[in-house]
């Protein structure tokens, strides 16, 4: 995409959702950290179901340590990999008490030293809790970046570094949220819902998915109409070339 197209891409996402945020439920940086660690290979909705009762009891690292690994395991047993996650949550809580005065650190280096915290988790915390311009690339953003041509890359780090380079102001702070939500609800993995995509005409994904009950041709026509509406330009009608005959012989004379 060109720089103008990238700007327009995010402008439209911002127009659709001016105030995006994480769908994980939390009350402070610590509960956000716990929720993000629990969300690995799990859905935000599934994590929220488990953390609602947990966070009524636990708001600080001290309270989590007091609950203990067995108590945490019982609270999050509906989430995948709950044994490992319970161990990590208690261990990171102990590390916060021991090394950071029970506060969540605000640097990538310190966050990544905590048990169960990788680059993506650190980026989420830095962006959502500390309002830093970071790009936490998950499977949704990786897919959107490659499928649309916005930020192609062979792995999540390449996509992250590409986004770091190309995303313009004033969209940098919220870009990660817009892309996740776009991938989760419109640019879906198995069947993207192209017919309701606000950036369909900017996207390089060729086999645009038509709306149920329509044809691919109708989807392309709808895309052209939406593009014309946004840009204020009517699509140029295609006319037969004067040098091309309307009827072609089916064999040589």
């Amino acid at each position: 995409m060109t720089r103008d197209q990238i700007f327009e891409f995010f402008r439209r996402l911002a127009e659709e959702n001016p105030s995006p945020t994480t769908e994980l439920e939390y009350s402070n940086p610590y509960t956000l950290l716990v929720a993000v660690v629990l969300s690995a290979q799990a859905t935000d909705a599934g994590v929220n179901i488990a953390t609602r009762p947990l966070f009524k009891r636990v708001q600080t690292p001290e309270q989590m340590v007091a609950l203990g690994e067995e108590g945490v395991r019982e609270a999050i047993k509906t989430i995948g990999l709950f044994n490992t996650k319970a161990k990590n949550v208690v261990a990171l809580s102990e590390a916060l008490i021991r090394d950071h005065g029970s506060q969540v650190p605000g640097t990538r280096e310190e966050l990544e030293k905590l048990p169960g915290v990788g680059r993506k988790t650190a980026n989420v915390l830095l962006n959502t809790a500390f309002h830093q311009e970071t790009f936490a690339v998950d499977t949704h953003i990786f897919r959107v970046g490659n499928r649309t041509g916005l930020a192609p890359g062979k792995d999540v780090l390449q996509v992250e570094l590409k986004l770091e380079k190309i995303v313009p102001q004033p969209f940098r702070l919220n870009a990660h949220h817009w892309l996740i939500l776009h991938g989760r609800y419109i640019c879906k993995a198995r069947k993207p819902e192209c017919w309701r995509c606000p950036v369909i005409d900017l996207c390089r994904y060729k086999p645009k998915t038509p709306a149920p009950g329509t044809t691919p041709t109708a989807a392309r026509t709808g895309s052209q109409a939406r593009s014309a509406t946004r840009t204020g330009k009517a699509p140029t009608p295609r006319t037969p070339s004067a040098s091309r005959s309307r009827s072609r012989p089916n064999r040589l004379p």
Side-chain angles (χ1 to χ4, degrees):
M1 291 186 189
T2 66
R3 284 192 295 180
D4 287 346
Q5 288 174 326
I6 292 169
F7 188 94
E8 179 65 8
F9 188 101
F10 284 104
R11 187 197 68 77
R12 293 184 194 175
L13 295 185
E15 183 179 62
E16 295 281 324
N17 185 0
S19 302
T21 188
T22 179
E23 292 186 324
L24 290 170
E25 297 174 4
Y26 68 98
S27 57
N28 57 40
Y30 172 69
T31 54
L32 175 62
L33 174 59
V34 171
V36 177
V37 169
L38 296 180
S39 71
Q41 300 183 47
T43 66
D44 287 1
V47 171
N48 290 338
I49 290 172
T51 57
R52 282 175 196 142
L54 175 63
F55 290 162
K56 289 180 180 180
R57 303 166 57 192
V58 174
Q59 288 285 308
T60 67
E62 288 83 358
Q63 291 172 335
M64 192 71 77
V65 172
L67 182 59
E69 188 175 324
E70 184 176 348
V72 176
R73 188 185 304 115
E74 180 64 22
I76 66 170
K77 63 183 179 182
T78 57
I79 301 174
L81 306 175
F82 64 91
N83 284 315
T84 299
K85 291 177 180 179
K87 182 178 180 180
N88 284 335
V89 165
V90 172
L92 73 83
S93 300
E94 292 172 339
L96 290 176
I97 296 170
R98 181 182 65 248
D99 302 327
H100 302 285
S102 299
Q103 300 300 307
V104 176
T107 69
R108 186 194 308 282
E109 293 74 19
E110 291 175 312
L111 284 167
E112 290 187 7
K113 291 178 182 178
L114 297 172
V117 177
R119 185 179 182 89
K120 186 190 76 172
T121 298
N123 278 337
V124 172
L125 264 292
L126 294 173
N127 179 271
T128 305
F130 298 102
H131 309 294
Q132 296 183 27
E133 295 173 354
T134 58
F135 304 88
V137 178
D138 67 351
T139 56
H140 295 300
I141 295 182
F142 182 77
R143 178 175 64 257
V144 171
N146 280 282
R147 180 184 279 169
T148 64
L150 175 70
K154 294 181 180 179
D155 54 44
V156 293
L157 181 58
Q158 284 190 4
V159 172
E160 178 189 335
L161 296 178
K162 182 72 172 179
L163 290 171
E164 176 68 38
K165 181 179 179 180
I166 67 167
V167 177
Q169 293 292 4
F171 308 115
R172 293 179 65 83
L173 182 62
N174 290 324
H176 136 257
H177 295 298
W178 282 314
L179 293 175
I180 285 179
L181 295 172
H182 187 67
R184 184 174 291 163
Y185 296 111
I186 296 179
C187 196
K188 299 176 181 180
R190 293 186 179 181
K191 190 175 182 181
E193 298 183 1
C194 300
W195 68 89
R196 62 188 191 91
C197 174
V199 293
I200 185 173
D201 55 307
L202 301 174
C203 173
R204 294 182 182 177
Y205 182 63
K206 293 298 183 182
K208 298 290 194 283
T209 308
T214 62
T215 64
T217 300
R220 288 194 296 271
T221 302
S223 169
Q224 293 171 353
R226 283 193 294 275
S227 178
T229 300
R230 291 181 184 277
T231 61
K233 297 179 181 179
T236 303
R238 298 182 63 184
T239 56
S241 171
S243 62
R244 182 177 297 174
S245 172
R246 288 183 177 273
S247 61
R248 299 180 62 186
N250 56 18
R251 63 182 176 179
L252 294 174

